[in-house]
Amino acid sequence: MPIYNLNVNNQAVSVDAPANMALLWVLRDKLGITGPKYGCGLDVCKACTCLVNGKAVSTCAVKISEVANKKVTTIEGLANGSTLHPVQQAWLDRDVPQCGFCQPGQIMAAVDLLSRTRTPTDADIDAIENMCRCGTYGRIREAIRAAAAMMP
Ligand code: FES
Ligand code: FES
């Protein structure tokens, strides 16, 4: 199998994997990074959301061959040492999660949004397609606004 080099959470990694292996399975099964979750495998639920070169993507729908030499960030790579990312802190402060399954993806989608604007409108937040079976959307909205206020 081919070897792919990429940067995951600020560490250079080499992965021996089939070219069509989904990034989600590379992360979870080959690298043991289990923050990104498998929900649908169809680019619908977004539970698998991570950042590739800073942009939110569904990792179930991205092949390892498409991310060679790119920078991948999972929720495990958001904190700066013991200091949480403002989005993570806002999520804790607002007690957002219920079952928690969708939340790593929700947080990564929020990080992507706030990298594009610090003043997201309701429409910007509603454009996040990540699904939550527990219906935490109201608290997600509050937490995104709180995180924006905390960010420089
Ligand atoms: S697992 Fe549902 S979009 Fe990736
Ligand atoms: S917190 Fe349960 S699915 Fe979102």
Side-chain angles (χ1 to χ4, degrees), residues 15-144:
V15 181
D16 187 359
N20 64 354
M21 188 172 191
L23 175 59
L24 175 63
W25 300 123
V26 171
L27 293 169
R28 290 185 60 89
D29 291 350
K30 289 193 174 282
L31 300 176
I33 296 172
T34 56
K37 299 291 186 277
Y38 173 72
C40 66
L42 298 169
D43 195 14
V44 173
C45 74
K46 313 290 183 185
C48 61
T49 301
C50 296
L51 306 181
V52 172
N53 287 354
K55 185 177 183 327
V57 301
S58 297
T59 55
C60 71
V62 175
K63 300 180 180 72
I64 182 65
S65 56
E66 297 173 302
V67 296
N69 303 311
K70 293 185 177 174
K71 180 175 167 57
V72 177
T73 307
T74 75
I75 193 157
E76 287 89 346
L78 271 191
N80 182 6
S82 59
T83 304
L84 292 178
H85 187 285
V87 174
Q88 292 174 301
Q89 188 61 56
W91 244 246
L92 278 181
D93 294 345
R94 296 294 185 287
D95 206 10
V96 173
Q98 288 193 31
C99 81
F101 190 84
C102 73
Q103 298 295 333
Q106 302 283 4
I107 287 172
M108 300 312 284
V111 170
D112 171 74
L113 173 61
L114 293 176
S115 75
R116 290 179 277 117
T117 175
R118 292 287 196 276
T119 53
T121 63
D122 286 349
D124 292 332
I125 296 173
D126 289 346
I128 292 176
E129 295 179 325
N130 294 54
M131 300 172 95
C132 176
R133 290 176 303 176
C134 301
T136 62
Y137 300 110
R139 292 203 298 275
I140 287 171
R141 180 173 292 197
E142 288 176 21
I144 289 174

